Amino acid sequence: MLICYKLCQSKYIDFWLDNIHCYTVNDTDKSKTIKTDMLNPPVILIGTGIDKVQVSEDVNDAENITKFQKLFVFITHTCPLSILTLFQMTTLESIDMKALPGGLLVIALYNSDKLLTYSVSDKQRNEISVGGLTYSIAILDRNTVVVMLRDFDVVHSIAIVDIRQRQVIQHVDVTLDLPPYSYIPMFYTDDQLYISSHSGITVTDMSGTVDREIDLGFEPTDMCYDTKTARIYCIPNTREKLICIDRDGNTIFTFTDTGLTNPTRLTIP
């Protein structure tokens, strides 16, 4: 489980971790209990905006970072979740982030023509130039991602990137009419890209040709795909519910709750 947030909003950490705790393994089901004293899912905390934290002039950056490290140590001991690593981003702001098998994070940065990769196992960072401002990321396989590229608010191409080799394999020109936001959700399945559009989902093949439009009557601000059930989960732009649909756009169920306030991102554990 990944949590990415601004450190200057750290007062919400306990609330976020409590929400994730509801997904921990049921200890009565011995077939699902992992072989360590850590509960599931583990948590990787990625703190952004540390440079925006207001501190006194006599406190240097190193001391400031140390304070937050102590904060995470405290959370580790008081929260029943396992925090695997702390990844600090200073002046960088992330748009999208995906986790590849083996604990490799791929991060699209705001107003940057580079992807940032971070290995959870050996704590190594690398940058990959992709030839355009990054928009969003979709995973193709364990080594490859697709990155949507833009010029200001206009999407002009996608880059297919080999993350292990740290190079762009191919650029594909696309012409899409997309909402003017810094993040446009998309996912890949069965040689097609499903991309959020003004009133639904645009489906393209890997050559950039539009295959079909799925009219939903709303704009998904985030969505993810469950490969086991072939279901798409969406947060509409009204941000007051979760909608589950099939790949043809038929609604399977809608989830609403008074405690579901302004949801922005979702993932499948």
Side-chain angles (χ1 to χ4, degrees):
M1 179 68 68
L2 305 174
I3 304 179
C4 182
Y5 63 94
K6 295 184 177 179
L7 286 175
C8 49
Q9 299 172 349
S10 57
K11 62 182 179 180
Y12 299 111
I13 292 176
D14 287 339
F15 170 76
W16 290 328
L17 291 179
D18 286 342
N19 276 273
I20 296 174
H21 181 240
C22 68
Y23 295 107
T24 54
V25 168
N26 181 358
D27 290 338
T28 61
D29 187 348
K30 300 303 180 183
S31 66
K32 294 184 178 180
T33 303
I34 54 181
K35 303 299 183 181
T36 71
D37 58 355
M38 298 188 303
L39 292 182
N40 188 27
V43 175
I44 301 171
L45 289 176
I46 300 181
T48 65
I50 194 172
D51 57 311
K52 301 298 190 297
V53 178
Q54 295 182 357
V55 295
S56 59
E57 294 181 357
D58 59 340
V59 178
N60 60 36
D61 288 342
E63 290 174 341
N64 187 36
I65 291 175
T66 300
K67 286 185 177 181
F68 285 104
Q69 288 174 332
K70 290 179 179 179
L71 170 64
F72 289 116
V73 170
F74 171 78
I75 294 173
T76 305
H77 287 290
T78 58
C79 179
L81 293 170
S82 170
I83 299 175
L84 292 184
T85 190
L86 167 62
F87 177 27
Q88 293 164 334
M89 298 171 63
T90 54
T91 59
L92 305 176
E93 182 177 349
S94 61
I95 297 176
D96 194 11
M97 176 170 49
K98 296 293 188 291
L100 296 179
L104 185 62
L105 306 182
V106 182
I107 304 166
L109 303 175
Y110 179 70
N111 273 347
S112 173
D113 63 351
K114 296 180 176 63
L115 289 180
L116 178 67
T117 65
Y118 177 78
S119 173
V120 175
S121 59
D122 58 17
K123 310 298 188 296
Q124 294 295 313
R125 302 190 196 197
N126 287 289
E127 292 183 348
I128 305 173
S129 296
V130 293
L133 299 180
T134 58
Y135 219 0
S136 55
I137 305 170
I139 298 175
L140 265 66
D141 55 43
R142 63 183 299 109
N143 298 316
T144 316
V145 300
V146 173
V147 185
M148 191 183 300
L149 304 179
R150 62 186 174 91
D151 183 8
F152 297 100
D153 291 330
V154 179
V155 173
H156 59 78
S157 65
I158 58 174
I160 302 174
V161 185
D162 186 322
I163 297 300
R164 309 292 176 178
Q165 298 296 322
R166 300 202 294 272
Q167 64 181 3
V168 175
I169 301 173
Q170 182 182 6
H171 279 106
V172 178
D173 294 334
V174 296
T175 302
L176 299 172
D177 180 21
L178 300 178
Y181 302 135
S182 60
Y183 170 70
I184 301 294
M186 68 174 179
F187 65 85
Y188 169 85
T189 185
D190 294 339
D191 295 321
Q192 291 182 315
L193 286 173
Y194 287 66
I195 305 169
S196 173
S197 61
H198 288 283
S199 61
I201 300 174
T202 299
V203 183
T204 74
D205 60 25
M206 295 308 293
S207 70
T209 302
V210 175
D211 178 69
R212 59 194 174 103
E213 299 282 351
I214 303 175
D215 185 13
L216 300 177
F218 65 85
E219 174 192 316
T221 59
D222 199 14
M223 61 183 182
C224 60
Y225 181 65
D226 186 350
T227 57
K228 295 180 180 179
T229 61
R231 292 180 175 182
I232 303 171
Y233 295 87
C234 303
I235 297 175
N237 53 335
T238 51
R239 295 186 177 180
E240 87 290 359
K241 56 188 172 183
L242 174 70
I243 302 175
C244 178
I245 62 174
D246 62 22
R247 285 167 57 173
D248 292 322
N250 301 307
T251 300
I252 299 174
F253 68 82
T254 299
F255 173 78
T256 59
D257 189 90
T258 55
L260 188 65
T261 305
N262 197 32
T264 55
R265 296 291 182 94
L266 58 87
T267 188
I268 298 177

